[in-house]
Amino acid sequence: MTGPNKPSDYLHQGRHDRLLKEMDHDPYHSKVKLAEPTLCPECGAIFHKGRWCWGDAPAGADEHLCPACQRVRDRVPAGFLSASGEFFIEHKAEITHLIHNIEQRQKSEHPLQRIMGSEESADAMEWQFTDAHLARAAGEALHHAYQGELDFQYGDEDILLRVRWHR
């Protein structure tokens, strides 16, 4: 008998000292460990010491598409950034340049963070990213530089991020 005033039954409680494996729902995360080094034939990134990085692949390296190139090939972005409003229309070239600078800076250290493409309408523009962290970083940089309204919306299981900026 357990309850607020009753003693606990410690013999029949579950163990609390075990490690639970965290679920990984992103289909673009590798389920198997790649051989090292592995070269991405599309972009030239190298899988070395458990992560993708830039560098020279030794002769005879295995080849496997990196998650970013696989996303580009499948046309499945991990993040979106939408920019809209009159201020955006007046400063579209400047804002686009800022977002591309953020991408270049991030991509130099993290090969999986890239812009996949963009779509433009009369009063807005949307960029697609291979990594949700880059979409968030670009949105935060845009908000830091120009203020305005910034909104983050995560999809199911935090795999997809939609960032909206308006001014």
Side-chain angles (χ1 to χ4, degrees), residues 39-53:
L39 172 69
C40 176
E42 296 281 326
C43 67
I46 300 167
F47 186 78
H48 182 62
K49 294 186 179 177
R51 62 184 291 263
W52 290 94
C53 56

Side-chain angles (χ1 to χ4, degrees), residues 27-109:
Y28 290 92
H29 286 169
S30 180
K31 305 295 186 243
V32 297
K33 183 165 173 65
L34 297 174
E36 293 193 25
T38 297
L39 172 69
C40 176
E42 296 281 326
C43 67
I46 300 167
F47 186 78
H48 182 62
K49 294 186 179 177
R51 62 184 291 263
W52 290 94
C53 56
W54 297 115
D56 296 325
D62 285 356
E63 290 191 0
H64 191 274
L65 279 181
C66 70
C69 289
Q70 188 64 50
R71 279 189 180 278
V72 171
R73 181 177 281 182
D74 294 346
R75 296 184 185 143
V76 180
F80 295 89
L81 169 62
S82 301
S84 61
E86 289 187 30
F87 182 86
F88 169 72
I89 294 168
E90 295 170 7
H91 299 89
K92 185 173 10 180
E94 186 178 328
I95 290 170
T96 301
H97 188 69
L98 171 70
I99 291 170
H100 283 280
N101 282 344
I102 297 295
E103 182 222 11
Q104 290 300 316
R105 190 172 350 154
Q106 293 290 333
K107 189 169 83 171
S108 69
E109 294 180 26

Side-chain angles (χ1 to χ4, degrees), residues 68 70-79 103 114-118 127-131 134:
Q70 188 64 50
R71 279 189 180 278
V72 171
R73 181 177 281 182
D74 294 346
R75 296 184 185 143
V76 180
E103 182 222 11
R114 305 180 205 157
I115 294 176
M116 291 176 59
S118 61
W127 291 266
Q128 300 91 27
F129 299 91
T130 58
D131 187 89
L134 181 57

